[in-house]
Structures are given as structure tokens and as C-alpha cells.
Amino acid sequence: MKNVAGITHAEKGAERGTRARVARLILEHGPINAAALGERLGLTPAAVRRHLDALLAEEMIEPRTVRPRGQRGRGRPAKLFVITDAGRSAFVHAYDGLAGSALRFLAERVGEEVVAEFARSQVSGLVRRLAPTMREVPADQRVRVLAEALTADGYAASASQAKSGGEQLCQHHCPVAHVAAEFPQLCEAETEAFGQLLGTPVQRLATIAHGDGVCTTHVSPRALGAQRNQPVNPRRSATVDTSDGSGDVTISTSRNAIESKETGR
């Protein structure tokens, strides 16, 4: 049955579903242009433009103009699209409120330290799962492998070379951003786990939980990681040596270990 606009409810539902897929692709792969979106989704240029215009009107995405490298004033700059904070919030799971309430209950009844222990227990599964793989892949491929694993877990992650040296790990989506804004222990434990898996010092530069567009982690060059892996006080170590093949990986419970990587001290 047609509605007054001549569009069936099923058609409207299909439109919303496709629009959500467009938004998801922009979240996971942005900045991205209209042509790439159409190719990935099998949509015509007109259809892509229709969905992009709707998402722009809803302030779910925003455009960025980028001039191709080496181009000097010729032609039109490429237009890319990125997700906005409002768009990212649309992907936040409804159980955030319950999770936040549970952590507040723990903090009030038991203490803040139990929240940190909970955060470490949450990321320990990632460490146990990836540690054997990290021992097998070349050191220069570990950030990429970690990014792929995080993407599979819903974090829409990517890896790239950092201009200042080393590498950069970006997470374009955080399923627990709202909870992490109140409980930074979640971000701290995750950062510590990254350092352990990559075998080199890491530093969190930005987080979605604190209002940044992307969670960005700088991964130090391997040479620096080798220097840092010399025998030191284990309670202040930022990494764990897993070269013995035992598969046992633990996350330090020392807050000093977290602070040393976050601040560079």
C-alpha cells in the first residue's frame, strides 16, 4: 500500500537500511569519496549522492576537501566524507547505560581499583588471543594485524606510518566510548595491552571518549622497543617479552606502568 508520498513502507525501510550501510562504510573507511562508496555498495552515483545528501542534512557525516598530492591548483579538489560525533553516537549500543551503572556500583561499593581490574580483565582476552600470532608475524606487520583484529571486534581500526617516526594505530569507532568517558581505566588498560602485544612502547594521543574524532595511538619504532625491553623493574615495564613461546601473557596491575606510557615518563 502506498503512503501519501507514493512510497511503500517497505521501500522506506530499504532506503534507511542502505543509508545505514553508507554511514557504516564512512565510519569504518572514512575519509572516503562517493565513487568508492558506490563501488563497495553497488550503487549508482545518483543513489550514493541521495544518501550522502540525506546524511549531510542529518549532520551524521561531514565533507572534507582534499587536493590530490602533487596537484597545484588544477582541477577540482577531491571531496571526502567522514563520520561526525552525532553519526558515531548512532552506532553506540543501548547497553552503555547498564554498563556505566554497573561500573559506578562497583566503584562506590568496592573502590576505583576494582574498576581498573575489570578493565584489565576485559582486554586480557585480546592479549591471550593475539599473543601467539604476534610471535609469528614480522615485527613490522604487528600493528596491521592488531588493527585487523580490532576491526573484527567492532573498532574500525587502521594502521599507518607516523610522520614523526614509528607507526600510528587509529580506531574510528569505540563501542564503549560513553562508558570510557566516565571510566578512563578502560582506555588505560587497552593502551597497556597494545604495548604488550606490539612489544614496543605506545602512547595514546587521542580518544573518542574524551571528545576526539578518532582514538589514536602512537607506536614507537622497533629499535626503541628493543631498548625498553632490557631488564627493568617488572612493575614499571611497558611491554612483556613473549619470545619464549610459552604463550603466557599477563597485564601488569601497576598503575605506574600505565602512566609511564600515557605521559612518556
Side-chain angles (χ1 to χ4, degrees):
M1 180 176 180
K2 295 283 185 178
N3 61 18
V4 293
I7 301 176
T8 66
H9 292 296
E11 288 170 338
K12 291 178 67 175
E15 279 282 294
R16 287 194 296 269
T18 302
R19 193 159 300 156
R21 292 169 61 201
V22 172
R24 167 67 72 175
L25 274 178
I26 294 173
L27 169 69
E28 295 181 350
H29 300 284
I32 187 171
N33 61 32
L37 288 168
E39 182 178 350
R40 287 174 180 269
L41 293 172
L43 298 174
T44 64
V48 172
R49 175 52 57 188
R50 184 174 70 253
H51 291 301
L52 289 175
D53 287 344
L55 291 170
L56 286 167
E58 296 169 1
E59 298 184 345
M60 299 282 284
I61 63 173
E62 61 185 11
R64 288 185 183 176
T65 301
V66 178
R67 190 172 297 280
R69 187 174 300 176
Q71 182 175 327
R72 295 176 176 271
R74 291 184 178 181
R76 297 176 60 184
K79 181 174 289 188
L80 306 177
F81 297 92
V82 297
I83 204 79
T84 63
D85 288 340
R88 185 176 289 107
S89 296
F91 290 95
V92 174
H93 298 290
Y95 54 70
D96 270 4
L98 178 61
S101 297
L103 289 178
R104 279 190 293 274
F105 178 86
L106 289 174
E108 292 169 1
R109 294 297 182 91
V110 185
E112 291 289 336
E113 179 57 28
V114 75
V115 177
E117 291 180 7
F118 170 80
R120 288 190 290 268
S121 72
Q122 288 296 103
V123 297
S124 65
L126 176 70
V127 175
R128 286 193 300 270
R129 191 171 82 241
L130 289 185
T133 300
M134 289 300 186
R135 286 195 296 270
E136 297 297 326
V137 301
D140 61 356
Q141 296 296 315
R142 289 176 183 170
V143 179
R144 176 187 60 79
V145 172
L146 177 56
E148 292 174 352
L150 290 171
T151 295
D153 288 345
Y155 288 85
S158 62
S160 62
Q161 294 296 316
K163 294 180 179 179
S164 59
E167 295 175 84
Q168 189 165 277
L169 176 67
C170 291
Q171 294 157 268
H172 301 272
H173 178 52
C174 178
V176 297
H178 288 182
V179 180
E182 183 176 354
F183 297 98
Q185 297 95 325
L186 297 174
C187 296
E188 293 167 355
E190 182 183 70
T191 304
E192 185 176 3
F194 290 171
Q196 294 172 353
L197 284 169
L198 298 173
T200 192
V202 301
Q203 182 179 13
R204 186 59 63 88
L205 303 179
T207 62
I208 295 172
H210 291 131
D212 301 299
V214 178
C215 291
T216 306
T217 304
H218 180 262
V219 181
S220 297
R222 306 298 163 190
L224 180 57
Q227 294 174 8
R228 292 288 184 88
N229 278 331
Q230 296 301 315
V232 293
N233 184 338
R235 288 185 63 79
R236 295 191 62 84
S237 175
T239 60
V240 172
D241 183 4
T242 60
S243 60
D244 62 357
S246 66
D248 294 330
V249 179
T250 58
I251 297 179
S252 168
T253 59
S254 170
R255 178 168 289 273
N256 289 336
I258 297 174
E259 293 176 348
S260 66
K261 290 182 297 179
E262 291 289 330
T263 63
R265 293 195 298 269

